[in-house]
Amino acid sequence: MAAVIARDLWATSSNASFPGPEGAVSVPVWGYSPTPGQCQVPGPLLEAMQGDTLQVTLHNTLPEPVSLIWPGQAVRPVPVKDTNGRFVSFHRHALPGGTFIYTVNATRPGTFRYESGSNPAVQVQMGLSGPLIVRPAGFSPSDPAQRTAYGPDTGSDFDAELLLVLGEVDSRLHTAAASGSAVDLRAFAPDWWVVGGRAYPDTVAPDAPGGVQPLSSALTVQAGRRLLIRCINSGFQTHALYLGGLAGRVIAEDGYPLMSPTLDATYSRHTLTVAPGQSFDIILTSPDPGEFYLYDRELLHCVNGERFPGGMMTRLTFAV
Amino acid sequence: MDLHLWAKAGFITTPDGNSIHVWGLTDQAGGPARVPAPLLILRQGEAVTVNLTNLLPEPVSLLFPGQQGVEALPEGGAWEPVRPQHEGGLLTSLAQAAPPGGSVSYRFTPQRPGTFLYESGSNPPVQVPMGLAGAVVIRPADYDPVSNRTAYGAGTGTEYDREYLLMTGEIDPDMHLAVQEGRPVDFAAYRPRYWTLNGRCAPDTMLPDDVAVLPSQPYGAMIMAEPGERVLIRYVGGSTANHPLHPHGNHARLVAVDGHLLRNGTADLSHKRFTVLVGAGQTYDSLFDWTGLGYTPSNPIPTVIPNVRNLAVGDAGWTMWSGTAYLGQKGDLPIGVVSYNEMGEYHFMLHSHEEPQLTNWGEFPGGLMTMLAIFPPGSLGPEVGRLGHGGGM
Amino acid sequence: MRHDVRYGATDGSVQMPDGTRHYTFGFADLTGVPENRIFSRRGEATLLGPLLEVTEGDDLYLTMTNIGLPGRPDLDDSHTIHFHGFPNQIPLYDGVPELSLSVPVGRDFTYYFKPRDPGTYMYHCHFEPVEHIQMGMIGPVIVRPALERDPAYAGRRFVYNDPAAEFDREFFVFLTELDPDVHANIEGVQEFDWTEYRPQYYLINGRAYPDTIRRNGVPALRQQPYSARIRANAGDRVLLRFVNLGFEQHAMQILGIPFRVVGLDAQAVRGAGGEDLTHLRDIVYIGAGQTVDALVDAPAPGSYPFFNRGYHKLANAGQWPGGMLTEVRVYPPGGLDPQAHPNG
């Protein structure tokens, strides 16, 4: 019963908001949007069932070629090169004002991302990336036995799930790129660190559907329930995800489950280094109620400017 | 067990003569601040209360990552679960804190053996790099220092002969100066100039515990063992960066991370590495043993060492070489070279492989390095390689 | 089997794709060079140094001769060779100057190794290592498993002594960075404050993109002889020998092809009970001083970008495209001849 899931994404621009010393600071961003209007960062969650085919039409309203690459998917890249044989894009792109249709066979379940493979340091930093979740065959959100990330017997059954998309924002790079000025990547130096496109305390504000930064990264779950954290690092720096003092069980890395019929290679951590491009699936639970802050234990990323708290922090509440 | 810690300001020194303002903890009333914080050696199943008195100008709290059921007793309050503190909906501290001049207590019963950290949960981007972090070792319930010396209990494959703990750190002197002068920290300009193991920069890392000239840095990082002995090295990522630590001389088997044994039932997930990437806030337990390749004067090395006058020995004016190829033997060294080699022991460097970290403000040698010395059989006493002996790591 | 190898410690220079030249230190291959000709190799160091390839159980006599730095005649630094990760080493052959000895200009020293653990390693100078490693005194090491000498497996190649770890082609993917200020300062007889280390070029096998995809032995890159392009026929099993001898952590990805990690730090990934811990990943995250052996199965013919997912490192002096970027080029079955040597 594999389906074809057709989606449209517009690569477009907008302004995002980050906490500054005297109130919100507006920073230009680029992102993928489900509508032709303002973009969102991160891009909208794409979801498919294992075996489905995703057909994504990219409409490019930006002034340079934009593409979609699908790390971890069985997509054969068709790079675009210039007349000197140098990469322009890692995969076929949509020219400014143009479109391109991508076909992705979602053959394996897991936590993935999509992002631009064109001028990637600038475009991914500007916000052109988003999460992709592929559900395992037989997945059913209402059947506890089939509410898993990787199928039965993978240790990945869950009651609730939380998506944590990590990244960094270098506002000077954003301003330069948005105004068409040259970007010198040697100067890359983030001034905000984000989860779900926002810096704390915005990370724990509610979802804002239709906004530029619609994704909240806070969650309330009933104590004793199994929470699946899907952590994706779409940034360029490592981040040490601290699980609030709780021990999480890592059940998959890069969308590859660690438990198989022959070996259980899952493991427990309370802090986990997530390198650029990696994804981790972690089962977390607390038998007792409590509030837990999840944050980057590299600590210097938990500030806005000169002040703690800020940056790469969010809050998990296990409720009565 | 009842512990008392004071959070206070102090200074640490670097081998290039710098004196750096720190915020540290001490377990001695009136004693100097110590960096890292005192090593806590606890026992699985035995309750502990930690009483914190804060002599610093901002609130200080303590987090015990990996411990369950930690409770806090704020000043004038009652015992309650540790929870993040807020003001106006904004986080102010990750745990109940002691106000300046005040106190707070924490209590918990360690449920699992292993290597852990404890650190401040208040303004951590400043307080942890300033020095408010230390290590925690939880002994297994069945631990006995003579008859059952393991990291995770009998039958876990973690028996050892000697144990050491190495906690990494970084220092940006501008940050410490800003704190000393009460100015905001400019995180955008953050750039470490010193790197430490157990709070010291090399070569101070190779000095013993409790040297008089380093009153605020009581822990050495010198590893010593004999051939065939199993050495437990507990790596702790104590500050804000990840460090790839590389002991020369042999691989080591990584057996536990964050205090969790790399085992699922009967499946063993431990594996060997020659470089362990010690992540920020994380702990890695590895087992190192060196057996050698059997070279002795009667089974000699197959090459001829040229006359040492034709080679560079002790370019810096000193060496740790014995002068021969053989364990337990000393040989001739060029005149004028001071040798710190005691009895023909082998020295292997253990260091971060991000080599700029092997400097003291950019000058090599220094920083994140120590030695792993293999001594002739029978030459080390049982007190070598014991945590907590004489207050040291 | 006995191997005699001789490396000369000297200097040289390398070129980046933006046309800039950078002064380097490094090793030049002096093996077989007559004694009265070795000093003609002064200034001929390559980045990377020569591939050191031996088989488990061999007797390797590696003589390192310090033939001096013509670009810095004032600098009388000694040099050593440290075989990084060699198990159960003794200090005399470990190459750490403070713990044994080092080799002054004009002298030789012979290191002896009898490798017993097959896998991917690296060698480098350990004299003022922060300077000498960044300047380029580095090279790859492959210890081949004894299984390859078994007549029953003649002509076939394996990562470790495990018939299941067979592969068709192998490439080293040796990661480093280059800070031009370091190289300019050292050339100009100036001190460098290592806390100011800021790389501007990111290299694979000593080259930055697009030089990474040029072939081995390009005349214009005389002192950067190693290509970083991965070439295979569809269906081939390719071994990628990752080495990180830079000063940063790197996260590597091939778009469209997963890695099967079979070795870490020259050890087959196995639990203490022999558990098979090999695993699939899309990102190889590797710290300085680590090695990773990863197998990839070459899929359909095409060009697969292979890059550092820290995208700001895909730049030469801040300009994209550049840096730590290369390609896996897959040809139709039979398209490429068998590999004559690693990285071929």
Side-chain angles (χ1 to χ4, degrees), chain A residues 192-194 237-239 296 298-303 310-313, chain B residues 125:
Chain A
W192 279 284
W193 290 268
V194 295
Q237 298 178 327
T238 60
H239 299 290
D296 185 348
E298 292 186 26
L299 292 179
L300 303 174
H301 305 159
C302 295
V303 297
M312 196 172 279
M313 307 186 68

mmCIF file with all atom_site columns, all heavy atoms in Angstrom, chain A residues 192-194 237-239 296 298-303 310-313, chain B residues 125:
data_model
loop_
_atom_site.group_PDB
_atom_site.id
_atom_site.type_symbol
_atom_site.label_atom_id
_atom_site.label_alt_id
_atom_site.label_comp_id
_atom_site.label_asym_id
_atom_site.label_entity_id
_atom_site.label_seq_id
_atom_site.pdbx_PDB_ins_code
_atom_site.Cartn_x
_atom_site.Cartn_y
_atom_site.Cartn_z
_atom_site.occupancy
_atom_site.B_iso_or_equiv
_atom_site.pdbx_formal_charge
_atom_site.auth_seq_id
_atom_site.auth_comp_id
_atom_site.auth_asym_id
_atom_site.auth_atom_id
_atom_site.pdbx_PDB_model_num
ATOM 1   N N   . TRP A 1 192 ? 24.022 33.209 17.617 1.00 0.00 ? 192 TRP A N   1
ATOM 2   C CA  . TRP A 1 192 ? 22.934 32.532 18.329 1.00 0.00 ? 192 TRP A CA  1
ATOM 3   C C   . TRP A 1 192 ? 23.022 31.031 18.057 1.00 0.00 ? 192 TRP A C   1
ATOM 4   O O   . TRP A 1 192 ? 23.489 30.611 16.988 1.00 0.00 ? 192 TRP A O   1
ATOM 5   C CB  . TRP A 1 192 ? 21.557 33.028 17.846 1.00 0.00 ? 192 TRP A CB  1
ATOM 6   C CG  . TRP A 1 192 ? 21.142 34.306 18.475 1.00 0.00 ? 192 TRP A CG  1
ATOM 7   C CD1 . TRP A 1 192 ? 20.662 34.488 19.745 1.00 0.00 ? 192 TRP A CD1 1
ATOM 8   C CD2 . TRP A 1 192 ? 21.175 35.600 17.877 1.00 0.00 ? 192 TRP A CD2 1
ATOM 9   N NE1 . TRP A 1 192 ? 20.382 35.814 19.969 1.00 0.00 ? 192 TRP A NE1 1
ATOM 10  C CE2 . TRP A 1 192 ? 20.691 36.522 18.838 1.00 0.00 ? 192 TRP A CE2 1
ATOM 11  C CE3 . TRP A 1 192 ? 21.555 36.086 16.627 1.00 0.00 ? 192 TRP A CE3 1
ATOM 12  C CZ2 . TRP A 1 192 ? 20.584 37.878 18.577 1.00 0.00 ? 192 TRP A CZ2 1
ATOM 13  C CZ3 . TRP A 1 192 ? 21.454 37.433 16.370 1.00 0.00 ? 192 TRP A CZ3 1
ATOM 14  C CH2 . TRP A 1 192 ? 20.971 38.325 17.337 1.00 0.00 ? 192 TRP A CH2 1
ATOM 15  N N   . TRP A 1 193 ? 22.558 30.272 19.035 1.00 0.00 ? 193 TRP A N   1
ATOM 16  C CA  . TRP A 1 193 ? 22.460 28.833 18.869 1.00 0.00 ? 193 TRP A CA  1
ATOM 17  C C   . TRP A 1 193 ? 21.008 28.451 19.038 1.00 0.00 ? 193 TRP A C   1
ATOM 18  O O   . TRP A 1 193 ? 20.302 29.017 19.884 1.00 0.00 ? 193 TRP A O   1
ATOM 19  C CB  . TRP A 1 193 ? 23.355 28.115 19.898 1.00 0.00 ? 193 TRP A CB  1
ATOM 20  C CG  . TRP A 1 193 ? 24.791 28.319 19.560 1.00 0.00 ? 193 TRP A CG  1
ATOM 21  C CD1 . TRP A 1 193 ? 25.571 27.507 18.790 1.00 0.00 ? 193 TRP A CD1 1
ATOM 22  C CD2 . TRP A 1 193 ? 25.612 29.423 19.921 1.00 0.00 ? 193 TRP A CD2 1
ATOM 23  N NE1 . TRP A 1 193 ? 26.828 28.033 18.651 1.00 0.00 ? 193 TRP A NE1 1
ATOM 24  C CE2 . TRP A 1 193 ? 26.881 29.210 19.340 1.00 0.00 ? 193 TRP A CE2 1
ATOM 25  C CE3 . TRP A 1 193 ? 25.417 30.576 20.678 1.00 0.00 ? 193 TRP A CE3 1
ATOM 26  C CZ2 . TRP A 1 193 ? 27.950 30.093 19.490 1.00 0.00 ? 193 TRP A CZ2 1
ATOM 27  C CZ3 . TRP A 1 193 ? 26.465 31.473 20.838 1.00 0.00 ? 193 TRP A CZ3 1
ATOM 28  C CH2 . TRP A 1 193 ? 27.714 31.221 20.240 1.00 0.00 ? 193 TRP A CH2 1
ATOM 29  N N   . VAL A 1 194 ? 20.544 27.562 18.186 1.00 0.00 ? 194 VAL A N   1
ATOM 30  C CA  . VAL A 1 194 ? 19.101 27.356 18.101 1.00 0.00 ? 194 VAL A CA  1
ATOM 31  C C   . VAL A 1 194 ? 18.698 25.899 18.168 1.00 0.00 ? 194 VAL A C   1
ATOM 32  O O   . VAL A 1 194 ? 19.470 25.005 17.791 1.00 0.00 ? 194 VAL A O   1
ATOM 33  C CB  . VAL A 1 194 ? 18.527 27.971 16.795 1.00 0.00 ? 194 VAL A CB  1
ATOM 34  C CG1 . VAL A 1 194 ? 18.691 29.476 16.800 1.00 0.00 ? 194 VAL A CG1 1
ATOM 35  C CG2 . VAL A 1 194 ? 19.165 27.352 15.576 1.00 0.00 ? 194 VAL A CG2 1
ATOM 36  N N   . GLN A 1 237 ? 28.608 22.869 13.809 1.00 0.00 ? 237 GLN A N   1
ATOM 37  C CA  . GLN A 1 237 ? 29.443 22.665 14.990 1.00 0.00 ? 237 GLN A CA  1
ATOM 38  C C   . GLN A 1 237 ? 28.942 21.429 15.717 1.00 0.00 ? 237 GLN A C   1
ATOM 39  O O   . GLN A 1 237 ? 27.794 21.021 15.540 1.00 0.00 ? 237 GLN A O   1
ATOM 40  C CB  . GLN A 1 237 ? 29.323 23.857 15.943 1.00 0.00 ? 237 GLN A CB  1
ATOM 41  C CG  . GLN A 1 237 ? 29.801 25.182 15.368 1.00 0.00 ? 237 GLN A CG  1
ATOM 42  C CD  . GLN A 1 237 ? 29.603 26.315 16.351 1.00 0.00 ? 237 GLN A CD  1
ATOM 43  O OE1 . GLN A 1 237 ? 28.655 26.331 17.138 1.00 0.00 ? 237 GLN A OE1 1
ATOM 44  N NE2 . GLN A 1 237 ? 30.486 27.287 16.318 1.00 0.00 ? 237 GLN A NE2 1
ATOM 45  N N   . THR A 1 238 ? 29.798 20.867 16.577 1.00 0.00 ? 238 THR A N   1
ATOM 46  C CA  . THR A 1 238 ? 29.312 19.781 17.419 1.00 0.00 ? 238 THR A CA  1
ATOM 47  C C   . THR A 1 238 ? 28.521 20.376 18.582 1.00 0.00 ? 238 THR A C   1
ATOM 48  O O   . THR A 1 238 ? 28.745 21.520 18.979 1.00 0.00 ? 238 THR A O   1
ATOM 49  C CB  . THR A 1 238 ? 30.457 18.940 18.007 1.00 0.00 ? 238 THR A CB  1
ATOM 50  O OG1 . THR A 1 238 ? 31.305 19.791 18.800 1.00 0.00 ? 238 THR A OG1 1
ATOM 51  C CG2 . THR A 1 238 ? 31.289 18.304 16.915 1.00 0.00 ? 238 THR A CG2 1
ATOM 52  N N   . HIS A 1 239 ? 27.594 19.592 19.098 1.00 0.00 ? 239 HIS A N   1
ATOM 53  C CA  . HIS A 1 239 ? 26.819 20.014 20.267 1.00 0.00 ? 239 HIS A CA  1
ATOM 54  C C   . HIS A 1 239 ? 26.659 18.819 21.178 1.00 0.00 ? 239 HIS A C   1
ATOM 55  O O   . HIS A 1 239 ? 26.386 17.717 20.718 1.00 0.00 ? 239 HIS A O   1
ATOM 56  C CB  . HIS A 1 239 ? 25.450 20.555 19.826 1.00 0.00 ? 239 HIS A CB  1
ATOM 57  C CG  . HIS A 1 239 ? 25.575 21.742 18.924 1.00 0.00 ? 239 HIS A CG  1
ATOM 58  N ND1 . HIS A 1 239 ? 26.020 22.963 19.357 1.00 0.00 ? 239 HIS A ND1 1
ATOM 59  C CD2 . HIS A 1 239 ? 25.370 21.869 17.589 1.00 0.00 ? 239 HIS A CD2 1
ATOM 60  C CE1 . HIS A 1 239 ? 26.079 23.806 18.343 1.00 0.00 ? 239 HIS A CE1 1
ATOM 61  N NE2 . HIS A 1 239 ? 25.683 23.173 17.257 1.00 0.00 ? 239 HIS A NE2 1
ATOM 62  N N   . ASP A 1 296 ? 22.874 22.296 25.409 1.00 0.00 ? 296 ASP A N   1
ATOM 63  C CA  . ASP A 1 296 ? 24.188 21.974 24.859 1.00 0.00 ? 296 ASP A CA  1
ATOM 64  C C   . ASP A 1 296 ? 25.214 22.080 25.983 1.00 0.00 ? 296 ASP A C   1
ATOM 65  O O   . ASP A 1 296 ? 25.503 23.176 26.482 1.00 0.00 ? 296 ASP A O   1
ATOM 66  C CB  . ASP A 1 296 ? 24.524 22.932 23.717 1.00 0.00 ? 296 ASP A CB  1
ATOM 67  C CG  . ASP A 1 296 ? 25.830 22.585 23.024 1.00 0.00 ? 296 ASP A CG  1
ATOM 68  O OD1 . ASP A 1 296 ? 26.614 21.745 23.540 1.00 0.00 ? 296 ASP A OD1 1
ATOM 69  O OD2 . ASP A 1 296 ? 26.082 23.157 21.959 1.00 0.00 ? 296 ASP A OD2 1
ATOM 70  N N   . GLU A 1 298 ? 28.169 21.922 25.820 1.00 0.00 ? 298 GLU A N   1
ATOM 71  C CA  . GLU A 1 298 ? 29.330 22.737 25.472 1.00 0.00 ? 298 GLU A CA  1
ATOM 72  C C   . GLU A 1 298 ? 29.143 24.144 26.030 1.00 0.00 ? 298 GLU A C   1
ATOM 73  O O   . GLU A 1 298 ? 29.988 25.010 25.831 1.00 0.00 ? 298 GLU A O   1
ATOM 74  C CB  . GLU A 1 298 ? 29.567 22.722 23.947 1.00 0.00 ? 298 GLU A CB  1
ATOM 75  C CG  . GLU A 1 298 ? 30.019 21.347 23.452 1.00 0.00 ? 298 GLU A CG  1
ATOM 76  C CD  . GLU A 1 298 ? 30.411 21.275 21.991 1.00 0.00 ? 298 GLU A CD  1
ATOM 77  O OE1 . GLU A 1 298 ? 30.816 22.308 21.426 1.00 0.00 ? 298 GLU A OE1 1
ATOM 78  O OE2 . GLU A 1 298 ? 30.323 20.174 21.406 1.00 0.00 ? 298 GLU A OE2 1
ATOM 79  N N   . LEU A 1 299 ? 28.049 24.356 26.735 1.00 0.00 ? 299 LEU A N   1
ATOM 80  C CA  . LEU A 1 299 ? 27.734 25.496 27.600 1.00 0.00 ? 299 LEU A CA  1
ATOM 81  C C   . LEU A 1 299 ? 27.874 26.873 26.968 1.00 0.00 ? 299 LEU A C   1
ATOM 82  O O   . LEU A 1 299 ? 27.012 27.721 27.165 1.00 0.00 ? 299 LEU A O   1
ATOM 83  C CB  . LEU A 1 299 ? 28.573 25.444 28.892 1.00 0.00 ? 299 LEU A CB  1
ATOM 84  C CG  . LEU A 1 299 ? 28.230 24.294 29.832 1.00 0.00 ? 299 LEU A CG  1
ATOM 85  C CD1 . LEU A 1 299 ? 29.120 24.302 31.051 1.00 0.00 ? 299 LEU A CD1 1
ATOM 86  C CD2 . LEU A 1 299 ? 26.772 24.350 30.254 1.00 0.00 ? 299 LEU A CD2 1
ATOM 87  N N   . LEU A 1 300 ? 28.919 27.111 26.200 1.00 0.00 ? 300 LEU A N   1
ATOM 88  C CA  . LEU A 1 300 ? 29.096 28.437 25.603 1.00 0.00 ? 300 LEU A CA  1
ATOM 89  C C   . LEU A 1 300 ? 28.031 28.708 24.547 1.00 0.00 ? 300 LEU A C   1
ATOM 90  O O   . LEU A 1 300 ? 27.924 29.813 24.038 1.00 0.00 ? 300 LEU A O   1
ATOM 91  C CB  . LEU A 1 300 ? 30.496 28.555 24.987 1.00 0.00 ? 300 LEU A CB  1
ATOM 92  C CG  . LEU A 1 300 ? 31.628 28.295 25.978 1.00 0.00 ? 300 LEU A CG  1
ATOM 93  C CD1 . LEU A 1 300 ? 32.968 28.287 25.242 1.00 0.00 ? 300 LEU A CD1 1
ATOM 94  C CD2 . LEU A 1 300 ? 31.646 29.341 27.077 1.00 0.00 ? 300 LEU A CD2 1
ATOM 95  N N   . HIS A 1 301 ? 27.256 27.676 24.203 1.00 0.00 ? 301 HIS A N   1
ATOM 96  C CA  . HIS A 1 301 ? 26.173 27.854 23.239 1.00 0.00 ? 301 HIS A CA  1
ATOM 97  C C   . HIS A 1 301 ? 24.830 28.068 23.936 1.00 0.00 ? 301 HIS A C   1
ATOM 98  O O   . HIS A 1 301 ? 23.785 28.060 23.286 1.00 0.00 ? 301 HIS A O   1
ATOM 99  C CB  . HIS A 1 301 ? 26.085 26.626 22.308 1.00 0.00 ? 301 HIS A CB  1
ATOM 100 C CG  . HIS A 1 301 ? 27.379 26.313 21.623 1.00 0.00 ? 301 HIS A CG  1
ATOM 101 N ND1 . HIS A 1 301 ? 27.660 25.066 21.105 1.00 0.00 ? 301 HIS A ND1 1
ATOM 102 C CD2 . HIS A 1 301 ? 28.469 27.072 21.354 1.00 0.00 ? 301 HIS A CD2 1
ATOM 103 C CE1 . HIS A 1 301 ? 28.863 25.078 20.564 1.00 0.00 ? 301 HIS A CE1 1
ATOM 104 N NE2 . HIS A 1 301 ? 29.381 26.285 20.690 1.00 0.00 ? 301 HIS A NE2 1
ATOM 105 N N   . CYS A 1 302 ? 24.876 28.242 25.268 1.00 0.00 ? 302 CYS A N   1
ATOM 106 C CA  . CYS A 1 302 ? 23.633 28.448 26.030 1.00 0.00 ? 302 CYS A CA  1
ATOM 107 C C   . CYS A 1 302 ? 23.501 29.895 26.458 1.00 0.00 ? 302 CYS A C   1
ATOM 108 O O   . CYS A 1 302 ? 23.053 30.202 27.558 1.00 0.00 ? 302 CYS A O   1
ATOM 109 C CB  . CYS A 1 302 ? 23.615 27.541 27.262 1.00 0.00 ? 302 CYS A CB  1
ATOM 110 S SG  . CYS A 1 302 ? 23.561 25.802 26.830 1.00 0.00 ? 302 CYS A SG  1
ATOM 111 N N   . VAL A 1 303 ? 23.935 30.775 25.577 1.00 0.00 ? 303 VAL A N   1
ATOM 112 C CA  . VAL A 1 303 ? 23.859 32.196 25.880 1.00 0.00 ? 303 VAL A CA  1
ATOM 113 C C   . VAL A 1 303 ? 23.255 32.925 24.697 1.00 0.00 ? 303 VAL A C   1
ATOM 114 O O   . VAL A 1 303 ? 23.318 32.445 23.558 1.00 0.00 ? 303 VAL A O   1
ATOM 115 C CB  . VAL A 1 303 ? 25.254 32.802 26.185 1.00 0.00 ? 303 VAL A CB  1
ATOM 116 C CG1 . VAL A 1 303 ? 25.865 32.163 27.425 1.00 0.00 ? 303 VAL A CG1 1
ATOM 117 C CG2 . VAL A 1 303 ? 26.189 32.669 24.996 1.00 0.00 ? 303 VAL A CG2 1
ATOM 118 N N   . GLY A 1 310 ? 20.112 31.105 27.499 1.00 0.00 ? 310 GLY A N   1
ATOM 119 C CA  . GLY A 1 310 ? 19.831 31.478 26.128 1.00 0.00 ? 310 GLY A CA  1
ATOM 120 C C   . GLY A 1 310 ? 20.221 30.348 25.211 1.00 0.00 ? 310 GLY A C   1
ATOM 121 O O   . GLY A 1 310 ? 20.567 29.255 25.654 1.00 0.00 ? 310 GLY A O   1
ATOM 122 N N   . GLY A 1 311 ? 20.158 30.634 23.936 1.00 0.00 ? 311 GLY A N   1
ATOM 123 C CA  . GLY A 1 311 ? 20.712 29.707 22.960 1.00 0.00 ? 311 GLY A CA  1
ATOM 124 C C   . GLY A 1 311 ? 20.081 28.328 22.942 1.00 0.00 ? 311 GLY A C   1
ATOM 125 O O   . GLY A 1 311 ? 18.858 28.160 22.978 1.00 0.00 ? 311 GLY A O   1
ATOM 126 N N   . MET A 1 312 ? 20.984 27.330 22.919 1.00 0.00 ? 312 MET A N   1
ATOM 127 C CA  . MET A 1 312 ? 20.587 25.950 22.651 1.00 0.00 ? 312 MET A CA  1
ATOM 128 C C   . MET A 1 312 ? 20.092 25.274 23.933 1.00 0.00 ? 312 MET A C   1
ATOM 129 O O   . MET A 1 312 ? 20.757 24.425 24.518 1.00 0.00 ? 312 MET A O   1
ATOM 130 C CB  . MET A 1 312 ? 21.756 25.192 22.025 1.00 0.00 ? 312 MET A CB  1
ATOM 131 C CG  . MET A 1 312 ? 21.355 23.894 21.374 1.00 0.00 ? 312 MET A CG  1
ATOM 132 S SD  . MET A 1 312 ? 22.726 23.151 20.452 1.00 0.00 ? 312 MET A SD  1
ATOM 133 C CE  . MET A 1 312 ? 22.674 24.082 18.926 1.00 0.00 ? 312 MET A CE  1
ATOM 134 N N   . MET A 1 313 ? 18.907 25.683 24.361 1.00 0.00 ? 313 MET A N   1
ATOM 135 C CA  . MET A 1 313 ? 18.298 25.094 25.547 1.00 0.00 ? 313 MET A CA  1
ATOM 136 C C   . MET A 1 313 ? 16.814 24.896 25.277 1.00 0.00 ? 313 MET A C   1
ATOM 137 O O   . MET A 1 313 ? 16.180 25.736 24.636 1.00 0.00 ? 313 MET A O   1
ATOM 138 C CB  . MET A 1 313 ? 18.410 26.032 26.766 1.00 0.00 ? 313 MET A CB  1
ATOM 139 C CG  . MET A 1 313 ? 19.790 26.510 27.083 1.00 0.00 ? 313 MET A CG  1
ATOM 140 S SD  . MET A 1 313 ? 19.844 27.469 28.621 1.00 0.00 ? 313 MET A SD  1
ATOM 141 C CE  . MET A 1 313 ? 19.486 26.202 29.822 1.00 0.00 ? 313 MET A CE  1
ATOM 142 N N   . PRO B 2 125 ? 27.583 28.652 31.839 1.00 0.00 ? 125 PRO B N   1
ATOM 143 C CA  . PRO B 2 125 ? 28.599 29.033 30.843 1.00 0.00 ? 125 PRO B CA  1
ATOM 144 C C   . PRO B 2 125 ? 29.741 29.843 31.444 1.00 0.00 ? 125 PRO B C   1
ATOM 145 O O   . PRO B 2 125 ? 30.815 29.931 30.861 1.00 0.00 ? 125 PRO B O   1
ATOM 146 C CB  . PRO B 2 125 ? 27.815 29.886 29.837 1.00 0.00 ? 125 PRO B CB  1
ATOM 147 C CG  . PRO B 2 125 ? 26.406 29.461 29.999 1.00 0.00 ? 125 PRO B CG  1
ATOM 148 C CD  . PRO B 2 125 ? 26.248 29.149 31.450 1.00 0.00 ? 125 PRO B CD  1
#
